[in-house]
Amino acid sequence: MAAVNVKNTRTDTAEPRGDMTDHPAGRCEPRGRGKAPGGGWKRDIIRQLKHRDRSQHAMFTDLIRFYTQLLEKSSLAKGILSCSSRRPSSDSSSSSLSSLLHQNNQLKKTTGELAYQVVELQQQIKIKDCILEKQHTRLSEDEQRCAGAFDARQSLQERVDQVQEQNGALKMEYDSLLERQRQAEAKLREEKVRGGNLLEDMIHLKQQAAARMNNRNERRSRAREAHLQKELQIAARSKVNIDSCSSAPASRSTSPKNDNQDESNQKGHARLFRSASATSPRILSSIREMFHRKRRGHSVCCLEEDLMSPVGVCLYARVPARARQVLEAHEQGINALRFSPSSDLLATGGTDRVIKLWEVRAGLLTHRMTMDGSTEGITCIDFDPAGSRILAASYDKSALLWRLDDPVPKLTLTGHSRKVTVARFSSLLHQVVTGSADRTIRLWDLHRAACVQVAEVASYCSDLVCSENCIISGHFDCKIRVWDTRVRVGCVQELPAQGKVTSLDISSDHRQLLSCCRDDCLQLVDLRRWSNDRMCFRAEGFKCGSDSTKAVISPDSCFLAAGSADGTVYIWNVSTGDLETHLPDKHSSSISAVAWSLSGEYFVSVDKSRLAVLWSDI
């Protein structure tokens, strides 16, 4: 209402009546008339109105501005302007008054809405203030916690620095201890090598002394036998008369009849003694036997013969029936395996260039040691008869020798021009034999670490076995060759095979030879007769998987075993010639080799997919 009154006042003052006019001095005087004597009160009223207008104008400036904006933006203002333009000038005052009243009502509504909005905004401001206060409180708490965490971090950092300093000191001490350990191990290794060399030298000297003693005894016995045979021959040529040893006097008769009788008696007695001559073959053979027994009884036993004696004899080999353990023994395919003579260790070698030793205990394989040193894959493994050394053939054209207590190879035999397919200990402890794809067989002396004999072969050598004074080798030209090592390695016999020979194995009594060929057939030969009569073993489903598939004879020589290309192990009975059993479902790839422990208790098979399976009969 105050704003309306002000507007009305301003309207009244803006449009003065016809009898009033403004003067520069601020007085209102009637037009066309002179000064009225009572005109001062009007000026006073006008002055008060102007003063009130000025004082209240500042208070309602914002309201007037909002109101003006409302008029400009509303369609009502447009309608008012259009109506004002149509109506005559006489009704302008009344129309403007009604419009002002309407506008006043609209302004009240707008003012109420604005007041309501102001209240809502104030409430929101209060809510925001509360939220802001809470956030300030949380912020202060977080800052306190952050300060505490920073202090804890500083303490922990100090502790970490202290621990790092202690670790640095401990690491320096550990490095010094490690260096001392390495030096001690190097010294120990040198001492072991020195001790081993001294032991080998001592054994070699004893062997030489024993050989010299045996040679002396042999020469003496031969000299004695020759002297005795010479004396017997002299005694056989001499004649003995009965009267020659008679000293009693006798009367001689002069008659010719008596003389003839005496001569006939002498001849008869001479023939009687001559029939018992020492040149009789029966007597000579008995004398020779006596001397041979005497020489053998008083000869010095060679140390090598004692060391080469077997550890034990297997009376009964168990036929495997179930798998006790299946494990991934190597990172790549496995090519070879071998049991130690005591049957408590198993050695495996493969394409990953290492040999792993496994302890066989309570039906399980436990990893013991890894031997490295080869630059390429392992093709063959062999234990020495004492079970203290391991010999391996490699694709890197060499053969390597390890001791069981040292993972580093003690000796490397080089000289072949292609891969070495097989390496075996010979009948002599200080000699090994190797066969290679370069079509040679080499005999090595371990004392000198040198090749002492080379035998040229017409074909690729796949496998070989050693017997007393001979080497038996298998080749890709479908032949098995026998070599004599007593004088010079030379081929003394060739046996035909029905296919490429992939492996050979000899029985524990060295009486039977087993060969596996690419014609999917196993052949068993009796070495005592060397006849062409052989036992062949085949089975439905058995297929030789590669050129290096290995087959074995059981320790009691009653069973044969080989792995097939389909991952099945086949076992034959030697006495019946029939298939004894087959073991499927454990290998997923071709079986490369099998091995039977010398005790006959365990059986192991390996394949090209890194698996090793330990079998037993229970």
Side-chain angles (χ1 to χ4, degrees), residues 512-572:
Q512 292 176 320
L513 177 70
L514 174 66
S515 64
C516 179
C517 301
R518 288 292 281 173
D519 63 343
D520 305 330
C521 177
L522 273 65
Q523 292 184 353
L524 193 63
V525 181
D526 191 345
L527 297 179
R528 293 170 294 181
R529 291 190 295 267
W530 290 107
S531 63
N532 292 326
D533 296 334
R534 307 176 190 181
M535 295 182 64
C536 295
F537 299 86
R538 299 179 184 270
E540 184 179 357
F542 173 74
K543 185 174 180 59
C544 185
S546 66
D547 292 340
S548 60
T549 300
K550 307 298 181 185
V552 294
I553 307 176
S554 64
D556 59 354
S557 304
C558 294
F559 302 98
L560 310 178
S564 177
D566 60 354
T568 304
V569 178
Y570 289 82
I571 299 176
W572 290 267

Side-chain angles (χ1 to χ4, degrees), residues 362-424:
L364 294 177
L365 296 177
T366 305
H367 181 257
R368 175 179 175 181
M369 182 187 298
T370 299
M371 297 179 173
D372 54 6
S374 175
T375 58
E376 294 186 25
I378 303 297
T379 59
C380 179
I381 299 175
D382 193 23
F383 278 92
D384 69 334
S388 61
R389 294 181 295 180
I390 291 180
L391 180 67
S394 173
Y395 279 93
D396 62 359
K397 308 174 186 178
S398 67
L400 298 94
L401 182 70
W402 287 270
R403 290 185 179 272
L404 289 185
D405 56 354
D406 192 356
V408 180
K410 178 189 175 183
L411 195 62
T412 302
L413 306 176
T414 58
H416 287 284
S417 59
R418 295 181 65 183
K419 68 176 181 180
V420 181
T421 55
V422 59
R424 305 285 185 194

Side-chain angles (χ1 to χ4, degrees), residues 163-293:
V163 172
Q164 285 181 351
E165 291 178 359
Q166 294 176 0
N167 289 340
L170 291 175
K171 187 176 183 302
M172 293 177 62
E173 186 177 357
Y174 172 75
D175 291 338
S176 62
L177 291 175
L178 186 62
E179 185 64 27
R180 290 172 58 187
Q181 182 188 4
R182 289 175 180 173
Q183 294 176 359
E185 287 179 352
K187 189 177 296 184
L188 178 62
R189 193 179 296 111
E190 291 176 358
E191 292 298 329
K192 285 183 178 179
V193 171
R194 182 181 176 186
N197 293 332
L198 290 176
L199 181 61
E200 290 182 357
D201 293 340
M202 183 178 66
I203 292 173
H204 185 61
L205 292 175
K206 288 184 178 180
Q207 290 173 355
Q208 290 180 350
R212 288 195 296 270
M213 182 69 70
N214 289 334
N215 290 331
R216 266 199 309 273
N217 292 336
E218 184 76 20
R219 288 196 298 270
R220 289 176 182 175
S221 63
R222 287 179 181 176
R224 289 174 184 173
E225 184 180 353
H227 180 68
L228 181 60
Q229 191 171 5
K230 185 177 180 181
E231 289 182 352
L232 290 175
Q233 289 177 357
I234 293 173
R237 286 195 296 270
S238 63
K239 296 181 179 180
V240 180
N241 295 325
I242 297 176
D243 294 340
S244 61
C245 47
S246 170
S247 58
S251 59
R252 293 191 176 182
S253 175
T254 56
S255 63
K257 186 177 179 180
N258 292 334
D259 293 340
N260 293 332
Q261 288 179 354
D262 292 340
E263 287 179 1
S264 64
N265 290 333
Q266 288 179 0
K267 288 182 180 178
H269 284 290
R271 282 195 300 270
L272 178 64
F273 280 93
R274 189 175 182 88
S275 64
S277 173
T279 58
S280 173
R282 184 178 299 174
I283 296 177
L284 288 178
S285 61
S286 62
I287 292 173
R288 288 194 191 96
E289 247 183 70
M290 179 182 67
F291 273 95
H292 281 303
R293 283 199 299 269

Side-chain angles (χ1 to χ4, degrees), residues 203 207 302-309 427-430:
I203 292 173
Q207 290 173 355
C302 181
L303 181 61
E304 291 181 1
E305 294 178 358
D306 295 337
L307 291 176
M308 294 290 284
S309 61
S427 57
L428 298 178
L429 192 63
H430 65 280

Side-chain angles (χ1 to χ4, degrees), residues 101 140 159 168 229 264 285 353 383 417 419 476 499 506 605:
L101 291 173
S140 61
R159 187 176 176 183
Q229 191 171 5
S264 64
S285 61
R353 302 175 294 181
F383 278 92
S417 59
K419 68 176 181 180
F476 276 10
I506 193 168
S605 58

Side-chain angles (χ1 to χ4, degrees), residues 29 46 54 64 125 138 160 201 204 233 315 318 338 353 376 407 412 417 440 452 478 480 539 577 584 589 595:
E29 294 181 357
I46 292 171
R54 284 195 301 273
I64 292 170
I125 288 172
R138 290 177 60 187
V160 166
D201 293 340
H204 185 61
Q233 289 177 357
L315 300 179
R318 302 178 182 178
R338 194 80 169 183
R353 302 175 294 181
E376 294 186 25
T412 302
S417 59
T440 60
V452 293
C478 307
I480 299 173
S589 62

